[in-house]
Amino acid sequence: MSSSSIKPIYVEILIKAGMQELWDKTQDPRQHEQWDLRFSRIEYLPRTGADAPQRFRYSTKIGFGLCISGEGETSGRHLTEQERVSSLKFGSEQQISLISVGSGYWKYVQETEGVRFLTLYNYKTRFGRAGQWLDRVCFRPLMGWATAWSFDCLRLWLERQIPPAESLRKSLTHALATLLLAMIWIYQGLVPKLLVPDSGEMEMLRGIPVLQGYEQIVLTGVGVGEILFGLAHLLWNKHKWLYLLNIIGLLVLGVGAISNASVYLAPFNPVSLNLAMIGLAVTAMLSLQNLPSARACIRVKGSSAAERREST
């Protein structure tokens, strides 16, 4: 698998802001590092000459006290009054960095509704075929997602004056609440209903007269349903209806447990568990408003009106 056979990363978004304001947010290192997930710190280095490209140093914290750093150079050009471009080259000499060298550009196209901001970049990897495989399967999709999420975070900053730090906090809150809901639903469907049905779930169903003789079928069906509902949180977590279903379903399950009132006296009973899950659902639902999303961006070059016009 050669590097030339891998498609470069492409991200595009329309931002309803002025050209100069967008230029400043993307070209000023202190502002750039606020909204771009790919970098923890960016700093310009002294120019070697008036016409020399602007060199910069970047670093990214990857956890466990480790940090990837590298250097690059960028140069911006005003092609016309309606269009600007900023090209860049980058690379890292650190042997733990998957990226060795890369290059790309940012483009700014003035339109009636705002500025169409887009990027295209590619890079070479280390570690031979293993590095290429890791890049294709994991790292490149992650980089593409991080770029798109960051572009939408920048859009919210410019259009609605929501600071990137606030967007990041909301995204982490939403992700944590959604992940916990998914884990609880999957656990509740798998362990007490499918793996250990006699732990108490079966006893509750036996207390419902209309289900006599069908308890095992019903319990299995409910368990599979809860697992699928938990997995749905990983696919449709940006939809309000998912959390409304959480609240309604938890209220119904809580009322259904009345057939065996003794379960309300257990340490982890329907009242405490369901209220906690409802709280998570409400938290996730409230954090949906003005939440950055990679899906807000175009990820295929040539699919926007601006790119189609350029190719004709």
Side-chain angles (χ1 to χ4, degrees), residues 79-194:
L79 302 179
T80 66
E81 291 184 0
Q82 304 297 316
E83 194 171 307
R84 301 182 188 183
V85 66
S86 175
S87 59
L88 70 151
K89 298 178 181 178
F90 55 91
S92 175
E93 296 182 356
Q94 283 185 286
Q95 292 305 305
I96 62 172
S97 172
L98 182 62
I99 296 177
S100 57
V101 294
S103 62
Y105 65 82
W106 283 351
K107 195 170 186 178
Y108 311 70
V109 182
Q110 184 70 59
E111 297 188 356
T112 304
E113 301 86 356
V115 181
R116 191 164 295 278
F117 180 46
L118 56 96
T119 185
L120 183 145
Y121 64 96
N122 208 347
Y123 51 83
K124 294 181 179 179
T125 59
R126 289 188 170 88
F127 316 125
R129 289 187 178 275
Q132 292 176 2
W133 178 85
L134 179 62
D135 177 57
R136 186 174 190 129
V137 172
C138 178
F139 188 74
R140 186 170 294 257
L142 181 61
M143 287 291 286
W145 174 86
T147 305
W149 186 95
S150 299
F151 272 35
D152 198 39
C153 179
L154 173 63
R155 178 188 66 83
L156 291 171
W157 193 12
L158 286 165
E159 291 184 359
R160 304 183 185 181
Q161 290 72 56
I162 301 175
E166 181 179 336
S167 290
L168 181 58
R169 283 194 298 270
K170 285 183 61 178
S171 294
L172 292 175
T173 299
H174 178 81
L176 180 60
T178 302
L179 181 60
L180 288 173
L181 278 172
M183 293 173 62
I184 294 171
W185 278 113
I186 293 171
Y187 177 88
Q188 289 296 322
L190 180 64
V191 177
K193 294 180 177 63
L194 299 185

Side-chain angles (χ1 to χ4, degrees), residues 118-296:
L118 56 96
T119 185
L120 183 145
Y121 64 96
N122 208 347
Y123 51 83
K124 294 181 179 179
T125 59
R126 289 188 170 88
F127 316 125
R129 289 187 178 275
Q132 292 176 2
W133 178 85
L134 179 62
D135 177 57
R136 186 174 190 129
V137 172
C138 178
F139 188 74
R140 186 170 294 257
L142 181 61
M143 287 291 286
W145 174 86
T147 305
W149 186 95
S150 299
F151 272 35
D152 198 39
C153 179
L154 173 63
R155 178 188 66 83
L156 291 171
W157 193 12
L158 286 165
E159 291 184 359
R160 304 183 185 181
Q161 290 72 56
I162 301 175
E166 181 179 336
S167 290
L168 181 58
R169 283 194 298 270
K170 285 183 61 178
S171 294
L172 292 175
T173 299
H174 178 81
L176 180 60
T178 302
L179 181 60
L180 288 173
L181 278 172
M183 293 173 62
I184 294 171
W185 278 113
I186 293 171
Y187 177 88
Q188 289 296 322
L190 180 64
V191 177
K193 294 180 177 63
L194 299 185
L195 299 181
V196 193
D198 293 326
S199 60
E201 298 277 353
M202 186 70 75
E203 190 63 31
M204 284 193 294
L205 291 180
R206 289 183 179 131
I208 304 176
V210 296
L211 298 181
Q212 288 184 3
Y214 299 96
E215 294 91 347
Q216 184 61 60
I217 296 175
V218 172
L219 191 61
T220 300
V222 172
V224 172
E226 288 184 349
I227 292 173
L228 293 176
F229 189 57
L231 293 175
H233 290 69
L234 306 179
L235 299 175
W236 298 299
N237 54 76
K238 296 297 192 298
H239 296 278
K240 184 178 180 180
W241 58 261
L242 180 70
Y243 305 105
L244 291 175
L245 281 179
N246 265 278
I247 297 171
I248 295 171
L250 289 165
L251 290 174
V252 170
L253 289 174
V255 172
I258 294 178
S259 60
N260 187 356
S262 62
V263 299
Y264 287 96
L265 303 178
F268 297 98
N269 57 70
V271 174
S272 59
L273 178 61
N274 289 17
L275 284 178
M277 292 179 69
I278 288 173
L280 288 172
V282 171
T283 299
M285 185 167 58
L286 292 178
S287 62
L288 278 174
Q289 187 175 9
N290 295 325
L291 194 67
S293 173
R295 297 175 184 175

